[in-house]
């Protein structure tokens, strides 16, 4: 990466929110405490269940300011004051033979549901059309947002899908392949929940026009409940996006529809360089107009990166993004990386950077009735082991 490209990237990276996947292995040494989150000048959304309480000492995913989890039970049971988001996988359409031409190449089923024997009997649902997959995603979100069971079931059945409760799928799943069944959650987002992080990696052959129409509908649904909608996907210019329907023709429209959109720093990016990858994604977002960096989320991969990558993804005078899994593996919590964390955790210059530069030259977003980030805190950073691999 040239020095000019590096400066361009770093100047923008400082204004991003961060999203972190749950990378800490079970049984790993606990390296961070609840107090570490208090020193963060930006928000960190952890792709993991929230801690049970603010002072929980055995929680494996510190530091964080927000949690994004599939597990609605954990979201509701947590008494911690961290922000809480439901993490939702967007449903995709599959080529099942009898529906040839209805959707694209991705044979992988949707979110696995544990059977009566737990994860040993895990099964996936499959959809035979884009409309049925999309309507199920909307129905699941509607129920989690507090819409009635009747409303959610009508949405799921609107184009021929069959609503079914998640608990019924777990206790008595129908035999054979689960085709066009829409599993509806048993619980809603807790009242204090901030909103939904939508993991959109469908890769099922939909066009940019189809993706734009669906995701705008999705964001309107979430905003109608006065909640935040965050779009989380692969690198915006990844080769797989041609099957997901995201490109330069609609990236800016998606940015405008959602409260935040992810810029993913993946170690296997097509440019072979984190800085050039970020710059290419930002160019896509800017193709339709100005972009406020405070509405971007930096998705940082923990497992496939090294300390040189972390230095690329930092503010000029701030510390590198900490790799919490590496801290546990290389010398434990008192090792070199922990000392580096302790020395640089305050990141004294990052907040100033968030409030100058690109952010000051972008047009403000039109006012809206749904909530935004707390005005006193800079945007979040997101760390991820790999996009769409939720920890809970």
């Amino acid at each position: 990466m040239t020095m000019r490209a590096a400066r361009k990237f770093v100047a923008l990276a400082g204004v991003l929110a961060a999203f972190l996947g749950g990378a800490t292995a079970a049984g790993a040494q606990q390296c961070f405490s609840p107090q570490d989150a208090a020193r963060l000048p930006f928000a960190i959304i952890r792709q993991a269940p929230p801690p049970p309480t603010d002072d929980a000492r055995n929680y494996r995913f510190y530091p964080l300011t927000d949690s994004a989890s599939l597990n609605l039970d954990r979201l509701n049971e947590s008494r911690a004051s961290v922000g809480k988001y439901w993490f939702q996988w967007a449903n995709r359409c599959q080529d099942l033979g009898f529906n040839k031409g209805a959707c694209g190449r991705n044979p992988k089923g949707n979110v696995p549901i544990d059977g009566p024997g737990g994860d040993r009997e895990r099964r996936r649902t499959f959809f035979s059309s884009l409309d049925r997959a999309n309507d199920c995603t909307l129905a699941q979100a509607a129920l989690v947002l507090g819409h009635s069971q009747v409303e959610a079931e009508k949405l799921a059945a609107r184009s021929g899908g069959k609503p079914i409760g998640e608990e019924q799928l777990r206790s008595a799943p129908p035999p054979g392949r689960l085709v066009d069944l829409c599993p509806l959650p048993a619980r809603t987002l807790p009242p204090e929940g901030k909103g939904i992080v939508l993991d959109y990696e469908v890769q099922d052959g939909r066009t940019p026009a189809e993706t734009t129409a669906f995701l705008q509908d999705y964001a309107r649904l979430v905003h109608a409940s006065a909640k935040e909608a965050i779009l989380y996907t692969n690198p915006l210019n990844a080769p797989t996006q041609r099957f997901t329907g995201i490109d330069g023709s609609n990236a800016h429209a998606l940015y405008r529809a959602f409260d935040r959109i992810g810029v993913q720093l993946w170690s296997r990016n097509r440019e072979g360089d984190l800085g050039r990858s970020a710059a290419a994604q930002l160019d896509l977002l800017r193709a339709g107009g100005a972009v406020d960096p405070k509405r971007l989320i930096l998705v940082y991969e923990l497992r496939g990166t090294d300390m040189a990558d972390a230095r690329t993804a930092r503010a000029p005078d701030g510390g590198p993004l900490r790799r919490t899994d590496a801290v546990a593996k290389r010398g434990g919590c008192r090792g070199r990386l922990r000392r580096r964390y302790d020395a640089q955790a305050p990141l004294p210059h990052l907040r100033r950077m968030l409030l100058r530069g690109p952010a000051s030259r972008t047009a403000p977003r039109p006012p809206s009735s749904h909530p935004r980030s707390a005005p006193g805190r800079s945007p979040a950073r997101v760390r991820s082991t790999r996009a769409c691999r939720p920890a809970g």
Side-chain angles (χ1 to χ4, degrees), residues 25-65:
Q29 188 175 4
Q30 179 62 47
C31 295
F32 298 99
S33 71
Q35 288 69 40
D36 287 314
R39 297 188 288 174
L40 294 169
F42 46 77
I44 290 182
I45 304 173
R46 262 290 191 178
Q47 190 185 343
T53 60
D54 283 329
D55 59 353
R57 308 298 300 182
N58 60 347
Y59 180 70
R60 296 185 291 116
F61 302 108
Y62 293 121
L64 82 166
T65 57

Side-chain angles (χ1 to χ4, degrees), residues 10-18 39-43 294 313-319 321-322 344-356 378-381:
V10 166
L12 287 167
V15 298
L16 302 176
R39 297 188 288 174
L40 294 169
F42 46 77
K294 292 185 180 181
R314 69 181 175 111
D317 298 306
L321 295 176
R322 266 69 55 189
Q344 304 190 53
L347 301 178
H349 301 281
L350 181 56
R351 182 167 177 79
R352 287 203 299 273
M353 187 175 183
L354 289 169
L355 300 177
R356 72 165 194 254
S378 301
R381 292 182 186 259

Side-chain angles (χ1 to χ4, degrees), residues 298-370:
L298 178 66
V299 184
Y300 186 72
E301 182 189 15
L302 289 170
R303 286 182 180 161
T305 54
D306 57 24
M307 291 304 292
D309 293 325
R311 282 188 288 272
T312 299
R314 69 181 175 111
D317 298 306
L321 295 176
R322 266 69 55 189
R323 300 179 63 237
T324 55
D325 56 336
V327 174
K329 292 173 184 173
R330 300 181 189 178
C333 298
R334 299 300 172 190
R336 176 178 58 84
L337 293 183
R338 176 60 199 232
R339 289 196 297 273
R340 183 187 294 266
Y341 175 86
D342 286 338
Q344 304 190 53
L347 301 178
H349 301 281
L350 181 56
R351 182 167 177 79
R352 287 203 299 273
M353 187 175 183
L354 289 169
L355 300 177
R356 72 165 194 254
S360 65
R361 295 194 297 271
T362 55
R365 190 179 187 193
S368 175
S369 60
H370 56 278

Side-chain angles (χ1 to χ4, degrees), residues 20-201:
L20 305 176
T24 310
Q29 188 175 4
Q30 179 62 47
C31 295
F32 298 99
S33 71
Q35 288 69 40
D36 287 314
R39 297 188 288 174
L40 294 169
F42 46 77
I44 290 182
I45 304 173
R46 262 290 191 178
Q47 190 185 343
T53 60
D54 283 329
D55 59 353
R57 308 298 300 182
N58 60 347
Y59 180 70
R60 296 185 291 116
F61 302 108
Y62 293 121
L64 82 166
T65 57
D66 302 82
S67 160
S69 177
L70 280 165
N71 193 324
L72 285 163
D73 289 336
R74 293 282 295 273
L75 289 172
N76 278 276
E77 292 161 5
S78 170
R79 303 277 71 86
S81 57
V82 300
K84 301 177 180 76
Y85 294 89
W86 185 45
F87 190 92
Q88 182 184 20
W89 275 6
N91 292 290
R92 59 170 64 96
C93 174
Q94 287 83 21
D95 184 350
L96 303 172
F98 67 85
N99 64 333
K100 192 168 183 63
C103 50
R105 58 187 276 278
N106 200 331
K108 185 178 180 181
N110 293 291
V111 178
I113 302 292
D114 292 346
D119 58 8
R120 291 170 298 139
E121 296 181 17
R122 185 169 284 179
R123 302 174 69 190
R124 294 180 180 269
T125 57
F126 299 84
F127 289 97
S128 62
S129 75
L130 294 176
D131 285 342
R132 291 175 184 177
N134 289 343
D135 286 347
C136 182
T137 301
L138 292 170
Q140 292 167 334
L143 198 57
V144 166
L145 291 167
H147 291 246
S148 71
Q149 186 79 23
V150 171
E151 290 176 293
E153 289 180 355
K154 282 183 178 178
L155 260 178
R158 182 169 61 179
S159 55
K162 308 178 190 79
I164 185 171
E166 278 187 1
E167 294 306 317
Q168 182 181 343
L169 273 184
R170 288 191 177 95
S171 59
R177 189 156 55 175
L178 306 179
V179 176
D180 292 331
L181 288 178
C182 179
L184 296 178
R187 302 194 71 169
T188 63
L189 192 68
E192 73 276 14
K194 285 187 171 182
I196 302 178
V197 175
L198 181 67
D199 186 342
Y200 191 71
E201 303 176 70

Side-chain angles (χ1 to χ4, degrees), residues 247-309:
D247 61 18
S249 71
N250 67 345
H252 189 80
L254 301 180
Y255 153 83
R256 290 191 60 80
F258 282 75
D259 296 277
R260 291 180 180 175
I261 187 170
V263 173
Q264 185 174 151
L265 303 185
W266 184 40
S267 59
R268 296 170 62 188
N269 61 76
R270 67 190 306 172
E271 291 79 15
D273 179 276
L274 290 185
R276 288 199 298 270
S277 175
Q281 293 178 70
L282 291 167
D283 286 344
L284 280 183
L285 288 170
R286 292 198 197 96
V291 170
D292 180 356
K294 292 185 180 181
R295 291 184 45 226
L296 304 178
I297 290 185
L298 178 66
V299 184
Y300 186 72
E301 182 189 15
L302 289 170
R303 286 182 180 161
T305 54
D306 57 24
M307 291 304 292
D309 293 325

